[in-house]
Amino acid sequence: ADIDAGKTKSAVCAACHGAEGVSAIPIYPNLKGQKEAYLVSALKAYKANQRQGGMSAVMTGQATLLSDDDIANLAAYYSSLK
Amino acid sequence: ADIDAGKTKSAVCAACHGAEGVSAIPIYPNLKGQKEAYLVSALKAYKANQRQGGMSAVMTGQATLLSDDDIANLAAYYSSLK
């Protein structure tokens, strides 16, 4: 996966998840340092519309815009943040 | 919420999420320092069977064993870990 491409792509995510993956809004999860494989799994679950409840409506919409490469790059980027 | 009660209850979670909420297994998310309101939202989504895909089968089973107080205490505990 390409961490730099992930960082570029993450501009979209930063609105809710914060510039460094630490969100300022309690209901939005921190992504900084999260497990890479979990991030891929969660994004794919949203993309496949397998998650309802909570903020899933927003996230499902976002995930559908992402390619598998985007998902891999984003997961690599956020998990790389220490 | 009662952080101590959350810590006691978290013994069940530690098997996958790690003793301090940092999992050793890539597909299991870290919980340490995660947003409290997000943890409540995610646990309630699992409890209401609103999450499929990924490890949801395991988590739905776990969440159904939790009362709303357990969920509040666990969320307070894990979000308190720095």
Side-chain angles (χ1 to χ4, degrees):
Chain A
D2 179 340
I3 288 181
D4 290 334
K7 181 172 176 128
T8 307
K9 192 72 195 174
S10 74
V12 175
C13 320
C16 297
H17 292 291
E20 286 293 310
V22 177
S23 78
I25 301 138
I27 194 83
Y28 303 149
N30 299 327
L31 302 180
K32 179 177 178 177
Q34 182 53 279
K35 284 283 186 286
E36 187 167 357
Y38 173 71
L39 289 171
V40 169
S41 165
L43 280 170
K44 288 190 171 174
Y46 281 119
K47 188 173 178 180
N49 202 17
Q50 293 175 318
R51 287 190 167 190
Q52 281 69 48
M55 302 305 292
S56 59
V58 173
M59 271 312 294
T60 302
Q62 289 297 332
T64 38
L65 307 174
L66 299 175
S67 69
D68 284 350
D69 281 350
D70 289 332
I71 286 175
N73 295 340
L74 282 166
Y77 167 63
Y78 278 114
S79 58
S80 73
L81 297 178
K82 290 288 171 279
Chain B
D2 180 340
I3 288 181
D4 291 333
K7 180 172 177 127
T8 307
K9 192 71 196 177
S10 74
V12 175
C13 320
C16 297
H17 292 290
E20 287 291 311
V22 177
S23 80
I25 300 138
I27 193 81
Y28 303 148
N30 299 326
L31 302 181
K32 181 177 178 177
Q34 183 53 278
K35 285 284 186 289
E36 187 167 355
Y38 173 71
L39 290 171
V40 169
S41 164
L43 280 170
K44 288 190 170 174
Y46 282 118
K47 188 173 178 180
N49 203 17
Q50 293 176 317
R51 288 191 167 193
Q52 282 71 45
M55 302 303 293
S56 58
V58 173
M59 270 311 295
T60 301
Q62 290 297 332
T64 38
L65 307 175
L66 299 175
S67 69
D68 284 349
D69 281 349
D70 289 332
I71 287 175
N73 295 340
L74 282 165
Y77 166 64
Y78 278 113
S79 58
S80 73
L81 298 177
K82 291 289 169 279

